[in-house]
Amino acid sequence: MAKQVTIKDIAIMSGVSAGTVDRILHNRGNVSEASRAAVEKVLMKTGYRYNIHTSAISLKKAYKIVIAIPTAIPGEYWGMIQKGIEHALEEYSDIKLDCEFSYYNQFDIYSCRSSFASIADRNPNAVIIGATFASETTVLCNKLDENGIPYVFVDAVICDTHPSATYSSDQDACGRIVGRLLNLFTPKDTELAVFGSRRIGNERANNSMKRMSGLKGYFEELAPYRVIKESKISVLDPEESRKNILGFLERNPLVKGIAVLNSRGYILADILAAQGIRDVKIITFDMTRNNVRCIENGSISAIICQRPKLQGFFAVKALIRVLLYNIEEKNMHHLMPADIIIKENLPIYQEIYNE
Amino acid sequence: MAKQVTIKDIAIMSGVSAGTVDRILHNRGNVSEASRAAVEKVLMKTGYRYNIHTSAISLKKAYKIVIAIPTAIPGEYWGMIQKGIEHALEEYSDIKLDCEFSYYNQFDIYSCRSSFASIADRNPNAVIIGATFASETTVLCNKLDENGIPYVFVDAVICDTHPSATYSSDQDACGRIVGRLLNLFTPKDTELAVFGSRRIGNERANNSMKRMSGLKGYFEELAPYRVIKESKISVLDPEESRKNILGFLERNPLVKGIAVLNSRGYILADILAAQGIRDVKIITFDMTRNNVRCIENGSISAIICQRPKLQGFFAVKALIRVLLYNIEEKNMHHLMPADIIIKENLPIYQEIYNE
DNA sequence: CTGTTAGCGCATTCAC
DNA sequence: GTGAATGCGCTAACAG
């Protein structure tokens, strides 16, 4: 184990004092070009990085982080993201971070608008954004960019913004995963179906659309002979959904595999189960309580899950890097793995996901 | 954010000095019963835990950790475990840990014996054990128990030992996962096969055997009508394997799905691919380079992977908890998730697994 | 512009 | 047995 180089070592090696090194490390100015050059040379040579924790204890200022995400319900997708954030706060509890959550209703653009409008007033040092509505997010990001406030995205990216990092899944790949699984799970001579959501104007459906194109891409390239029907689930009217879905299956008796490209697979699964239909394989997204229940009772065959907790955790870690180390890996897009969850590996994933 | 309670706070609250609190926290003796009682009451009430990082900087002593695992080849299973260990050492580089690796040949019981015999002489403060041979491991653990040296297991547990923690997978569940996937991937009227390994006397086959019983359990309970044949792959004689395998498939033309319960699935996949056999689905274990190649070229349908890197990472974290906090969650068995990897989610997992 | 100094939370030594 | 004092690597305020 190589002995850790300290700020004092750097100072001695470059013929200045520790204070000067510190000023340079944190771009705090008031340093002559000569000193800067000398110190930076040594820093480069040694690959020195100061100890983030020691730094934290002597640091008086607390950083304020605002988290702007859709309402986080425990056990649901955003609840898990929040849990990951809280987990990171605990892990790095020695670093003084003040967190404020600012939730909005992901189905209500006005609530998003007013939530985002208040962010700047809170004077954050950094922001975590769970983006749903593109234009609102762009407005917010522009303001943050102007003020030099770093931000990271979780769950989704919005174009023309400059996040310090993004943690999300490759939705196209997710669609392809569902494609392959459906193709494997069902005999070649049966038909398949894809269910999207009917929420119009909600641009988060963006994720759902990317999954759709991935799924279609998979079949076009690798199994073009398979027939894929399309339909939708209405979240608003349960009775209407029921009729629509059962009607759809009556009209398409050959459909033996269904992909639900959002987290509402359980709705379909419950309807089929109630009807005694057991030979249709369902695949859906997100390890929500309802989907878990359906995996357990066998009415859903697989769920694809994109580690919301890890996204939240990493988002905080990225901001710590930016705030303390001043490391800006602008626009770095970190992809989360897409976990395939079936009945047999569910318990362990639950432990990991819910901790 | 609640302000962190410090050792000084505890001292004031319990009417003693910081030094006394420290002596109690670290069981360093020379403390009166009265003080101990008073302080412990306050500790309990506040749920105080000292800052691990601040502690580390003022700590002069370095902890010595010996890692006794099978030879770690980069890209192979044990190489990934080692990578996880190194990753943790970096993440906690402020904590002074001296690590020494002591490798043994997992196919040679004598090499294990001599490696394990030298562990105690190295005077470690803690040990990470990758167990292969049960009796050798028991001997080592007994010696460590006698000397009060904490140890954690990765990959597998050995009975009648007292590890501070164990990080491994539920092999029975892994077998069931393979069972369900094979069942889903192949038509009901085809047959299936399971290939174990032929290494005799190697007790690590233990894992493989547990997987086997899980797989059989799955079919007995949920698909008893399916026919499952058994065979073995010889690692030693490639030409013999080739003949055996092709002979097996000729004799069993209805077999359309094969489980290889160790990491040698690629051997079978390569043989079938060379023969132009493309309609037999293969599932195997561990994300080794060879298996990855076969997933990419389509000759393997899925691999089950048990996060070796995470096991290594957590093992170090657990030892840090034990060494610094004196937290012994004796015999705590932490299960790693069993990831299902197919062609479409491979790239992202590769990133995560290999970092 | 720069070096010095005090103090962050903690471990440890040394008087008392 | 115990408290006070010192130093760990670092930041920040201060005096030059």
Side-chain angles (χ1 to χ4, degrees), chain B residues 186-223:
Chain B
T186 54
K188 301 265 169 285
D189 54 355
T190 59
E191 296 181 351
L192 301 169
V194 193
F195 280 63
S197 53
R198 186 170 266 168
R199 292 183 232 130
I200 296 162
N202 174 6
E203 309 183 36
R204 187 177 183 304
N206 201 14
N207 272 357
S208 179
M209 281 167 58
K210 284 185 195 156
R211 291 169 186 167
M212 178 71 88
S213 82
L215 185 141
K216 287 186 174 164
Y218 174 84
F219 282 106
E220 275 164 27
E221 291 162 27
L222 295 166

Side-chain angles (χ1 to χ4, degrees), chain B residues 168-315:
Chain B
S168 72
S169 288
D170 179 342
Q171 302 300 342
D172 186 85
C174 286
R176 288 171 181 272
I177 292 168
V178 174
R180 177 175 294 263
L181 291 180
L182 269 189
N183 194 28
L184 280 165
F185 287 1
T186 54
K188 301 265 169 285
D189 54 355
T190 59
E191 296 181 351
L192 301 169
V194 193
F195 280 63
S197 53
R198 186 170 266 168
R199 292 183 232 130
I200 296 162
N202 174 6
E203 309 183 36
R204 187 177 183 304
N206 201 14
N207 272 357
S208 179
M209 281 167 58
K210 284 185 195 156
R211 291 169 186 167
M212 178 71 88
S213 82
L215 185 141
K216 287 186 174 164
Y218 174 84
F219 282 106
E220 275 164 27
E221 291 162 27
L222 295 166
Y225 48 85
R226 298 219 62 168
V227 178
I228 302 165
K229 312 268 173 161
E230 267 185 64
S231 186
K232 292 194 185 292
I233 301 177
S234 160
V235 203
L236 301 172
D237 186 341
E239 191 43 40
E240 190 206 327
S241 312
R242 215 184 74 89
K243 280 189 197 143
N244 280 349
I245 288 165
L246 294 177
F248 174 85
L249 284 178
E250 261 172 47
R251 288 194 306 281
N252 299 282
L254 284 180
V255 166
K256 295 300 175 200
I258 301 179
V260 181
L261 299 185
N262 50 46
S263 60
R264 313 288 173 180
Y266 70 95
I267 295 179
L268 203 143
D270 285 344
I271 290 170
L272 298 204
Q275 206 68 14
I277 301 173
R278 304 204 113 265
D279 64 339
V280 176
K281 305 274 190 293
I282 298 175
I283 299 179
T284 189
F285 281 82
D286 298 343
M287 208 167 78
T288 64
R289 288 206 218 295
N290 275 316
N291 287 337
V292 163
R293 173 176 54 75
C294 292
I295 282 278
E296 280 167 348
N297 70 28
S299 58
I300 289 182
S301 296
I303 50 186
I304 311 299
C305 203
Q306 37 199 331
R307 308 252 185 115
K309 215 177 131 191
L310 204 58
Q311 289 182 41
F313 188 89
F314 282 162

